[in-house]
Amino acid sequence: MPRVQWKGARLGLRDVTEADVAALHAVYGNPEATAHMPFEPRTLEQVAALVDDAIQAAAAQPRRLYALAVTDAETREVVGVARLHIEADHPHSAEIGLGLRPDQWGRGIGTDLFRLVQSFGFKELGLHRIWGARAPGNLPAQLAMLTAGMIEEGRVRHHVLTPSGWRDSIIHSIIEDDWTDR
């Protein structure tokens, strides 16, 4: 099974490994980083289970889930996580999900990460459409998605059940015809 290795100027993407559990817990276990995610901060054991699931998904044929460690291009340190979930009924389309450690915020890394995942999806996976849902209050994600060329398509009411109740989602997408490799 080929392993994902995708590089950008400031970030890289690679398949997650068991050695990444602690680094990914710095995202999934952080209350600030998960504030707009539809779950409470995860325990170390829960993150380990997510990594196990990702490793199993990487072996699936056809592969539908790409759970990728986001690495700093210089230090190779894991600074976040990126997910691409290819839709079973629409294999040309994938949902994107990203998370970064809060110490990485405010430097344009989110925009770079959206662009890097788009590059991977369109060039490596041959996708036609990449879309993502964000919490309405997640304005940094909105800015990163728009700056990365994604179009805001609209609001899905009561789309996600969170620990505090139902939450709307704002949907953004980009299609390969509109994408430019920057």
Side-chain angles (χ1 to χ4, degrees):
M1 141 187 87
R3 304 282 301 159
V4 171
Q5 292 283 336
W6 201 256
K7 294 183 183 357
R10 296 199 294 173
L11 300 171
L13 299 172
R14 64 167 174 73
D15 281 307
V16 298
T17 68
E18 290 177 3
D20 297 325
V21 171
L24 296 177
H25 186 252
V27 176
Y28 285 129
N30 184 306
E32 192 176 10
T34 59
H36 295 289
M37 295 183 187
F39 52 81
E40 296 288 338
R42 304 278 169 103
T43 66
L44 196 60
E45 294 76 21
Q46 289 171 318
V47 174
L50 290 173
V51 168
D52 287 343
D53 291 346
I55 291 169
Q56 289 179 18
Q61 289 298 324
R63 185 171 180 180
R64 298 267 186 233
L65 176 63
Y66 291 81
L68 306 172
V70 178
T71 58
D72 180 283
E74 289 182 21
T75 67
R76 302 208 190 292
E77 175 185 18
V78 175
V79 297
V81 62
R83 293 179 79 247
L84 262 178
H85 186 243
I86 299 172
E87 299 174 32
D89 294 338
H90 305 283
H92 60 277
S93 180
E95 180 181 10
I96 190 174
L98 309 177
L100 289 168
R101 287 190 334 225
D103 67 325
Q104 300 297 308
W105 296 355
R107 303 184 305 126
I109 295 290
T111 300
D112 285 358
L113 182 52
F114 275 109
R115 288 179 175 150
L116 186 63
V117 175
Q118 290 169 3
S119 171
F120 175 70
F122 291 131
K123 289 171 113 176
E124 182 70 12
L125 302 180
L127 296 173
H128 177 71
R129 180 175 190 270
I130 297 172
W131 67 277
R134 68 168 175 84
N138 192 347
L139 300 182
Q142 176 187 24
L143 179 61
M145 292 168 108
L146 292 174
T147 304
M150 298 181 84
I151 304 299
E152 188 172 307
E153 293 185 343
R155 178 183 294 256
V156 178
R157 296 175 57 219
H158 287 212
H159 181 233
V160 178
L161 182 59
T162 72
S164 60
W166 287 101
R167 183 202 84 197
D168 293 357
S169 289
I170 307 297
I171 305 299
H172 293 252
S173 73
I174 188 166
I175 57 174
E176 66 178 325
D177 298 345
D178 295 334
W179 175 75
T180 56
D181 192 9
R182 298 169 229 183

